[in-house]
Amino acid sequence: MAAIKSKDGLKSYLLTSRLLTPAAWSGIETEITGLQEVSSILQVLERRQLLTQFQVGRIQKGETEGLVLGRYKLLYRNASGSFARVFRAVSTDANSTVALKLLRERWVDDPRTVASFEREARICQKFVHPNIVSILDIGNEGRFHYFTMEFIEGGNLRDFMNIRKTLSPVEATRCIYQICQGLEYALKMGASHRDLKLTNVLMSSTGVAKLVDFGLAGAENATQAGTSDDVQRALEYSTLERGTNAPRNDPRSDIFFAGSIYYELLCGDGPWPRTIDREAKLQLSRYSNVRPLKQVLPGLPERIYKIVKTMMELNPSSRYQSYVEVNKDLRAVLAELGDPTEQNAKNNSVPSGGAGSKSGSSASAMSGKQSFSLMVVEPGRKREKKLKQYFEQHSFALNFIEDASAAFEKLKGKTPPDGLLFMADVDAAPVLEIYPKVQAYARTLKVPCVALFAGEEADSVKKLINSTKFGATMFQPTSPRDLRQHFAEIAGFDCGPVSPPEAPKQKDASVPKANPKGKSPKTPEPDADSGIVVDDSDVDSGIVVDDSDADSDIEVSSKPAAAFKPSSENSKSISKESSRSKESTSGKAKKSQPAVTSAGVSDSEAAAVKAPAPQLNASQKAAAIRAAQRAAEREATEKVAAEKAAAEKAIVDKAAREAEEKAAQEKAELDRIAAEKAAAEEAIRKKAEDERLAQEKAEAKRKAAEEAALKKVEEERLAKEKAEAQRLAAEEAARKAEEERIAREKAKAERLVAEEAARKAKEERIAREKAEAERLAAVEAARKAEEERITREKAEAER
């Protein structure tokens, strides 16, 4: 396509190709009103970050075809190989970032290469695994054959190792374990990799290894595959398999080269020197003469040496026979090194970023229900209290942050929240800037996000941001209930109200509570059901029945605490208990009354006892005396029995008091031991928490350093590309200047030649004129001579 020469032509191309939206063009129209040069307008678009440097360069060169493929527009080139190039791209509909692999144009006329390119995409498209880069779409437009992949923030393992040089044993083991997990899954899906090397393993910014480029998967030879960035790599597999009599496409060959990656991650150098010499790669001795890792790097756990040696056994029968065996030993090493990754993966059934993956609030903990960790971005945090009050009733645990960019970094971190809520109804600008990136990450992590804008900004926001499933936009007025239901629906989270804790059972009011060592009652706590303050001391004391009155029906003393007001149920139970106590006391009193008949006193004697003394006769007096004697004996017997009963009761009461005091002392001791144990556990927990925070801080620093290094590498790469573009531009300008100089010199030479020819023509004309003049002079002289001769002859004749 010819270069674009006019402003209208540029506008038409940008809008029809979907490189720019009409809203974006309208946003810069006032700024480019006075500009007509295409290059000046492109500079404005690049400065406003509406176009990338790569896009601007292609447009200026007239290479506009292929900047938009299907629903993806290319942003810049990430990597380049013999058969394909990889670009960072973004979808025009959802604004999500992807990696787009594009077959080089020089191979599009080769049917075998095109078929192999599409074969790689089809093989990988069925893979869904955290350690394999996902294939999203496959397509072609005319001569452009491409497929899109999950975009990994980070770089390949070779770039990573160029920065880190070596990895710690736990990092290297975790990385190779993730690689083998991906290889095991791929093999279950019917494919081996056949091209394992550092550049075909991507390391994400979160530290996850992901396999890429299955271009040689299951291929019998390099020409059949045709799309790997280094076709000669297949020679290493074929050399190994031919030299060891292994079957073609042996899956154990991947284990061998995975072991070589493990070797290099640990010591920083590969087990054999890198080379592009085909003959060197065909020598089996290159892979057999490997220096043992223990000699290169002593001091590692013995289990690691054994794993590397077994993975890289030259004889395939001595090598690991399956990834199950490899991964089992790698897990054992991770456990030995204290790496928590694998254990956490087993214990936590909810994926990172999913609902319920974080610890809940106190309310949800009391109810036994997991919580949904929601991060709220609100400058000023003016609505923090109200939002917490509402959401925590529905099993949400809220964390507040004021900076939208900081929230985005949290989303990219190792422990992202379950959901993100941006309160952008007051200041929308920071959220509008960062939210498209948030949407891309949220879609990858399956973390629901919502940006809440003011209602009057709906039209302008919709022009800039497309609402998606995991990156929704809402507008005021919106209720907390709408937000809650949205997060619950997307995350599949049960956000019903938190069940209140079960109210404590009332203790038996008739049993007094011991108060050892004069301790004061506990501070009243609010009742979970009614909000009424219930004092534990009142619940325990209630109404006390004095045991000393148990043998009579005369006194029943009640000792209610001053601050206690029993509920209706407690009153009923206390009344019933009092009734039972009175009945029991009454029964005892009746039994203790003297039975006259049982003592041998007749009715007449009883009447005599009751009758007045003056009315008695002798026999009656005798009977009265006998009755009095018997009564005295009975009273003495009863008094002895009463004293005995009182003594026994005193002994029982004393034993009860001693038992209560002992129980109180034991309880106090148990409370003291429990308090000391709790304090010790709290100290241990705090120490562990401090150590965890220190480790996280160190990990964050390390990660930041790695990201900074990766960013520096990326910046250096971009700077190199820019310098290369500037160099090419300078070379082009120099070439044009040289052509102009040559043209000027040629014109000058032609002018000099013309001038010389004119000079020569003039000289020839002058020479001709001179010769003509000489000839005329000679003719004139001859004429004169002839006239003189005739005159002489005439004179001679006359003479």
Side-chain angles (χ1 to χ4, degrees):
M1 183 174 178
I4 299 172
K5 300 293 186 182
S6 66
K7 179 178 179 180
D8 291 338
L10 178 63
K11 177 181 177 181
S12 175
Y13 166 72
L14 292 176
L15 297 182
T16 54
S17 66
R18 291 171 297 157
L19 271 177
L20 226 59
T21 62
W25 179 267
S26 301
I28 65 160
E29 275 191 320
T30 55
E31 190 174 348
I32 63 173
T33 301
L35 301 178
Q36 294 299 326
E37 291 290 332
V38 171
S39 58
S40 301
I41 298 172
L42 289 174
Q43 287 177 3
V44 173
L45 291 169
E46 184 179 356
R47 186 173 66 252
R48 293 283 298 275
Q49 297 183 352
L50 296 173
L51 292 179
T52 65
Q53 182 183 11
F54 168 77
Q55 293 168 337
V56 169
R58 288 277 296 266
I59 293 171
Q60 287 177 333
K61 293 177 183 178
E63 301 173 358
T64 53
E65 288 185 325
L67 277 179
V68 178
L69 296 173
R71 60 190 186 95
Y72 301 98
K73 55 183 178 182
L74 309 188
L75 298 180
Y76 59 80
R77 190 169 65 194
N78 259 26
S80 179
S82 304
F83 288 88
R85 290 172 174 165
V86 179
F87 296 85
R88 181 170 183 163
V90 64
S91 63
T92 55
D93 49 1
N95 204 30
S96 57
T97 304
V98 298
L100 187 145
K101 190 167 185 177
L102 178 65
L103 185 66
R104 280 180 175 268
E105 190 173 355
R106 66 171 176 261
W107 296 104
V108 297
D109 293 325
D110 183 355
R112 177 179 292 181
T113 304
V114 173
S116 298
F117 182 81
E118 293 175 350
R119 173 180 168 275
E120 174 188 356
R122 288 195 304 273
I123 288 175
C124 297
Q125 194 173 32
K126 61 184 179 181
F127 295 163
V128 181
H129 193 271
N131 300 118
I132 299 178
V133 175
S134 302
I135 301 296
L136 306 176
D137 293 323
I138 306 172
N140 70 286
E141 287 191 5
R143 295 174 61 82
F144 297 99
H145 297 267
Y146 67 91
F147 59 84
T148 58
M149 305 175 285
E150 166 193 9
F151 185 82
I152 307 300
E153 286 284 355
N156 65 51
L157 205 50
R158 178 175 291 176
D159 295 337
F160 187 71
M161 291 300 294
N162 288 337
I163 297 168
R164 291 291 303 277
K165 306 305 180 187
T166 62
L167 299 184
S168 67
V170 67
E171 290 175 320
T173 305
R174 188 189 307 127
C175 181
I176 204 66
Y177 175 67
Q178 292 172 352
I179 291 172
C180 289
Q181 287 278 87
L183 291 171
E184 180 181 11
Y185 172 83
L187 189 59
K188 287 179 181 178
M189 298 296 288
S192 54
H193 193 283
R194 304 294 297 171
D195 195 13
L196 274 182
K197 53 184 178 179
L198 292 179
T199 52
N200 280 344
V201 180
L202 301 185
M203 182 62 72
S204 73
S205 58
T206 57
V208 178
K210 290 178 175 281
L211 293 170
V212 70
D213 196 353
F214 280 74
L216 300 181
E220 295 187 0
N221 52 59
T223 57
Q224 180 186 7
T227 63
S228 172
D229 289 344
D230 183 7
V231 183
Q232 300 300 324
R233 184 69 174 182
L235 291 176
E236 300 186 349
Y237 278 77
S238 60
T239 300
L240 179 69
E241 291 169 357
R242 278 200 310 269
T244 58
N245 294 321
R248 182 177 292 177
N249 292 332
D250 186 358
R252 295 172 296 181
S253 300
D254 278 340
I255 295 178
F256 180 89
F257 289 104
S260 71
I261 293 177
Y262 196 12
Y263 186 107
E264 186 164 354
L265 295 180
L266 289 165
C267 65
D269 292 321
W272 45 77
R274 292 193 180 97
T275 181
I276 59 173
D277 184 8
R278 179 183 176 88
E279 294 301 322
K281 291 186 177 184
L282 290 172
Q283 300 298 320
L284 184 63
S285 59
R286 181 169 183 254
Y287 314 111
S288 59
N289 299 329
V290 175
R291 188 180 175 192
L293 179 62
K294 193 169 186 177
Q295 295 180 12
V296 180
L297 191 66
L300 296 177
E302 286 295 330
R303 198 188 293 265
I304 289 182
Y305 295 131
K306 181 181 178 182
I307 292 175
V308 174
K309 182 177 182 300
T310 309
M311 291 180 78
M312 296 185 64
E313 284 285 354
L314 198 64
N315 183 354
S317 299
S318 303
R319 209 177 299 154
Y320 282 110
Q321 300 301 298
S322 70
Y323 292 106
V324 175
E325 299 174 6
V326 183
N327 291 331
K328 179 182 177 182
D329 285 354
L330 289 172
R331 280 195 296 270
V333 171
L334 288 173
E336 182 180 331
L337 296 173
D339 180 65
T341 304
E342 182 66 14
Q343 188 62 34
N344 288 345
K346 290 181 178 179
N347 293 340
N348 186 8
S349 60
V350 182
S352 175
S357 61
K358 310 290 181 297
S359 61
S361 62
S362 59
S364 59
M366 291 169 67
S367 66
K369 187 176 183 178
Q370 284 187 320
S371 66
F372 182 92
S373 173
L374 178 64
M375 179 171 287
V376 182
V377 183
E378 182 186 25
R381 301 167 67 163
K382 295 180 180 179
R383 290 169 281 192
E384 178 175 354
K385 185 176 180 181
K386 291 184 178 180
L387 288 173
K388 275 192 172 182
Q389 184 178 3
Y390 174 79
F391 277 96
E392 288 187 353
Q393 294 177 355
H394 297 276
S395 304
F396 281 72
L398 268 61
N399 294 311
F400 282 77
I401 192 169
E402 297 190 13
D403 185 17
S405 299
F408 179 48
E409 293 302 321
K410 292 281 187 184
L411 181 65
K412 291 163 59 179
K414 287 187 176 180
T415 55
D418 296 334
L420 259 177
L421 172 60
F422 292 82
M423 303 297 289
D425 51 343
V426 177
D427 184 9
V431 178
L432 286 173
E433 181 179 355
I434 200 73
Y435 201 60
K437 297 178 183 178
V438 172
Q439 288 178 312
Y441 263 88
R443 177 172 175 261
T444 303
L445 300 175
K446 302 296 185 288
V447 174
C449 298
V450 173
L452 181 62
F453 296 94
E456 58 269 19
E457 295 178 343
D459 293 337
S460 58
V461 169
K462 288 178 181 178
K463 290 179 181 178
L464 298 174
I465 299 176
N466 293 323
S467 182
T468 63
K469 178 180 179 181
F470 291 98
T473 54
M474 293 187 180
F475 303 94
Q476 293 285 24
T478 298
S479 68
R481 180 173 179 271
D482 295 334
L483 294 170
R484 171 175 64 83
Q485 289 181 342
H486 174 80
F487 284 111
E489 180 182 352
I490 300 301
F493 176 67
D494 178 13
C495 63
V498 178
S499 301
E502 185 179 353
K505 295 181 179 180
Q506 294 286 357
K507 296 184 180 179
D508 189 354
S510 65
V511 181
K513 182 179 180 180
N515 189 12
K517 299 185 180 181
K519 290 185 179 180
S520 59
K522 296 181 180 179
T523 305
E525 297 182 357
D527 187 283
D529 290 327
S530 60
I532 299 173
V533 175
V534 179
D535 192 335
D536 290 342
S537 61
D538 297 332
V539 173
D540 289 338
S541 59
I543 297 178
V544 180
V545 178
D546 192 348
D547 290 339
S548 61
D549 301 320
D551 291 335
S552 69
D553 58 351
I554 299 174
E555 292 187 22
V556 178
S557 65
S558 63
K559 301 178 182 179
F564 179 72
K565 186 177 180 180
S567 63
S568 58
E569 292 182 3
N570 289 337
S571 300
K572 291 177 182 179
S573 63
I574 292 168
S575 299
K576 291 178 181 179
E577 187 67 28
S578 300
S579 299
R580 286 195 297 270
S581 299
K582 287 183 178 181
E583 288 173 2
S584 175
T585 306
S586 177
K588 288 182 180 181
K590 289 177 180 179
K591 288 180 182 179
S592 64
Q593 290 177 356
V596 178
T597 55
S598 64
V601 181
S602 63
D603 292 339
S604 60
E605 290 176 338
V609 173
K610 294 180 181 179
Q615 298 177 0
L616 297 178
N617 54 29
S619 61
Q620 288 176 336
K621 286 180 180 180
I625 292 170
R626 288 195 301 273
Q629 288 175 348
R630 290 174 182 170
E633 291 174 358
R634 179 175 56 77
E635 286 177 0
T637 304
E638 288 178 353
K639 183 177 180 181
V640 172
E643 289 175 354
K644 184 178 179 181
E648 290 177 352
K649 183 177 181 300
I651 294 171
V652 171
D653 291 345
K654 183 179 178 181
R657 286 195 300 271
E658 289 176 351
E660 288 179 357
E661 289 175 359
K662 185 177 180 181
Q665 290 174 357
E666 290 178 353
K667 184 176 183 300
E669 182 65 19
L670 291 174
D671 290 344
R672 183 185 65 77
I673 293 172
E676 290 177 354
K677 184 179 179 182
E681 290 176 349
E682 178 64 20
I684 294 171
R685 188 197 64 76
K686 187 176 180 182
K687 183 179 179 182
E689 180 68 13
D690 292 341
E691 291 176 353
R692 184 186 65 79
L693 292 174
Q695 289 176 355
E696 287 183 354
K697 188 175 180 181
E699 181 68 15
K701 286 183 179 179
R702 183 189 65 77
K703 181 181 174 183
E706 289 178 0
E707 289 181 351
L710 290 173
K711 185 177 180 182
K712 184 178 179 182
V713 170
E714 181 67 13
E715 289 174 351
E716 289 176 355
R717 185 183 66 78
L718 293 175
K720 286 179 182 178
E721 289 184 356
K722 186 175 181 180
E724 180 68 14
Q726 291 175 349
R727 184 185 65 78
L728 293 174
E731 289 179 356
E732 182 67 15
R735 184 184 63 77
K736 289 182 179 179
E738 181 67 15
E739 289 177 352
E740 291 176 356
R741 183 185 65 76
I742 292 172
R744 287 197 301 272
E745 290 180 353
K746 184 178 180 181
K748 183 178 179 182
E750 290 175 350
R751 179 178 60 78
L752 291 175
V753 170
E755 289 177 354
E756 180 66 19
R759 184 183 64 77
K760 287 182 178 180
K762 185 177 180 182
E763 288 177 352
E764 289 176 356
R765 181 178 60 76
I766 292 171
R768 285 197 304 271
E769 289 179 352
K770 184 178 179 182
E772 182 65 20
E774 289 175 351
R775 186 183 64 76
L776 291 174
V779 170
E780 183 64 22
R783 186 183 62 78
K784 286 181 179 181
E786 183 65 23
E787 286 178 354
E788 288 175 356
R789 184 184 64 76
I790 292 171
T791 301
R792 284 196 305 271
E793 287 180 353
K794 186 177 179 181
E796 183 66 30
E798 287 177 354
R799 185 181 57 81

